[in-house]
Amino acid sequence: YLNGDEMLLVVCDLLMTYGYNAERGTTFVVENGTAAISPELEELLTAMSGGMIRVDRSGMIGAKQAVLGGYGGRAVGNPNHKAHLESWHNLFHNMLCYGPGSVGKDRQPPETLHGIIEAEKKLLKHALDLPIDKAARLNHHLPSFLELNQEINKVVAMINARCDHALEGWEECGFCLPEFSLNPAEGNWGPIARISNNPGMVEFVAQLPPACRRLRRMSPDEAWDTAMQQPGNKLRRFTAEQCAMLLTTSKRLRRPLRRDGAKFVWRDKDGELCGQDLWYETRIIDGRGYEREIRYKEDGLTGIVNPFAPDKLFVFDAGNRLLGIARQIQAAPRHDEEAIRR
């Protein structure tokens, strides 16, 4: 579950990476408890976007009574409010169930999961007594967080690239591609738009049998790219200053910066990012695009790193004003000459 600070980081990353629709507006569909946007943050988002960013909360509904005048039902979440999100979660959950440690379709996990977890705990305990090289070669019963994250990225990419779906409203939105093939039995389908500049080929394809032509549904990735090219769908990204203003609404995200020679060291004390310290340049880029070096004697510097975009370090002065953004330094082992040159 996402707490308030984590949701704030998600919103900042979304607005800085993708942006919002400044013409038609953008609505965040959120919950009231976890994955929530506070009224203060909502007010700030509305003001900074000129009213083009809105928040829609799910609300609670009570169970209906069958007997007239009966007692009111317990308030529960409204699943219909975000049905399209819940349906995506179901697909994602089903496609990820092939790996070890799957919890099943509901709150009652498979009975074997208890034994798998206990076996993994014992393995991790014994691994502490082994040399690092031998511990690294152990065959684990469950994937590590890094391995799971890599699999999640693969599954999401597969979902967004699939065309064998029945997503609602696809035809009405124009998310279909006319294709043709000279040999449908073997596939080799291609978009008719590719030959649109060749009148002779267009006429030839028009005379092909119906089995050689089809209307294919776009993948979600193709639909997104197509929608972004349509008038009125252009997104406006938040600037670093705007995101910094949002981030400063939380006092827990800022940490004092420690300078180590020609770099800032961000202490990943709780293993929230990658389990090791991150390095950043002491040269920052300010809001006007100018670069300047942070002086050694500048005191009271604090920084914020967004775990969803750790390549940037937001640097603030003692007065909590944004000085600029520092780029991440990718550390390289001394023996890896190619990595050092990169």
Side-chain angles (χ1 to χ4, degrees):
Y1 297 100
L2 296 177
N3 59 33
D5 285 346
E6 291 166 343
M7 188 62 182
L8 173 61
L9 294 171
V10 171
V11 170
C12 287
D13 178 56
L14 179 67
L15 291 174
M16 197 169 182
T17 304
Y18 296 100
Y20 68 98
N21 193 309
E23 296 183 21
R24 299 178 179 176
T26 294
T27 301
F28 285 109
V29 180
V30 300
E31 298 179 342
N32 290 292
T34 180
I37 291 180
S38 66
E40 294 76 16
L41 179 58
E42 177 186 359
E43 184 177 351
L44 188 56
L45 288 170
T46 302
M48 296 172 66
S49 64
M52 288 293 101
I53 295 180
R54 295 178 286 272
V55 176
D56 186 11
R57 295 178 174 83
S58 61
M60 304 293 283
I61 57 177
K64 294 182 179 179
Q65 288 294 321
V67 181
L68 184 63
Y71 293 100
R74 179 176 62 88
V76 295
N78 183 1
N80 296 323
H81 181 263
K82 53 185 190 303
H84 54 296
L85 296 179
E86 298 294 348
S87 62
W88 190 93
H89 292 159
N90 182 63
L91 172 63
F92 170 71
H93 189 85
N94 289 338
M95 292 189 66
L96 199 61
C97 69
Y98 61 86
S102 174
V103 298
K105 69 179 183 64
D106 51 33
R107 300 194 180 195
Q108 295 296 329
E111 293 182 359
T112 56
L113 184 58
H114 174 77
I116 293 175
I117 293 176
E118 292 302 315
E120 180 66 15
K121 288 180 179 179
K122 293 179 181 178
L123 185 65
L124 292 174
K125 183 178 180 179
H126 292 308
L128 297 175
D129 300 327
L130 296 175
I132 295 179
D133 57 334
K134 291 186 178 181
R137 294 196 295 268
L138 291 174
N139 292 323
H140 290 266
H141 305 279
L142 292 170
S144 66
F145 180 80
L146 178 60
E147 292 169 337
L148 179 60
N149 187 56
Q150 292 172 343
E151 287 302 312
I152 286 175
N153 288 333
K154 292 178 183 178
V155 169
V156 172
M158 290 169 56
I159 291 176
N160 290 334
R162 78 195 193 283
C163 298
D164 56 338
H165 60 77
L167 291 173
E168 183 180 353
W170 233 238
E171 289 80 4
E172 292 80 357
C173 293
F175 294 153
C176 295
L177 285 176
E179 294 184 326
F180 74 98
S181 174
L182 301 180
N183 192 349
E186 296 184 2
N188 300 322
W189 292 91
I192 294 180
R194 187 181 299 171
I195 61 171
S196 58
N197 295 329
N198 189 332
M201 281 297 297
V202 172
E203 183 178 355
F204 170 75
V205 170
Q207 297 175 357
L208 291 174
C212 295
R213 299 189 302 272
R214 72 178 184 182
L215 197 62
R216 177 180 67 81
R217 290 185 165 217
M218 295 182 184
S219 68
D221 277 338
E222 291 174 319
W224 171 269
D225 294 337
T226 300
M228 287 299 99
Q229 297 173 4
Q230 296 174 359
N233 283 350
K234 186 176 181 181
L235 301 180
R236 180 182 298 174
R237 296 178 182 176
F238 263 34
T239 64
E241 289 75 17
Q242 288 176 305
C243 282
M245 187 179 299
L246 295 177
L247 292 172
T248 52
T249 59
S250 172
K251 298 180 180 179
R252 294 182 295 272
L253 293 176
R254 281 199 316 279
R255 298 182 188 173
L257 284 182
R258 179 172 66 88
R259 182 162 185 161
D260 182 7
K263 63 181 181 292
F264 285 123
V265 178
W266 178 266
R267 178 71 65 185
D268 189 18
K269 57 182 180 180
D270 300 321
E272 298 172 346
L273 300 179
C274 59
Q276 62 185 16
D277 293 344
L278 302 180
W279 296 353
Y280 294 90
E281 298 176 353
T282 54
R283 178 178 294 272
I284 62 171
I285 303 175
D286 63 20
R288 295 176 296 175
Y290 295 112
E291 293 190 15
R292 78 171 180 90
E293 187 76 19
I294 296 292
R295 296 187 298 269
Y296 272 90
K297 294 183 179 180
E298 292 193 44
D299 298 324
L301 296 179
T302 57
I304 296 178
V305 173
N306 189 338
F308 301 102
D311 59 319
K312 303 179 184 67
L313 170 67
F314 293 88
V315 181
F316 300 85
D317 64 10
N320 199 26
R321 292 182 295 268
L322 178 69
L323 296 177
I325 294 178
R327 293 175 291 238
Q328 185 181 5
I329 301 173
Q330 296 293 343
R334 293 182 181 272
H335 66 273
D336 192 341
E337 296 183 1
E338 182 180 351
I340 292 175
R341 283 195 296 270
R342 288 199 305 270

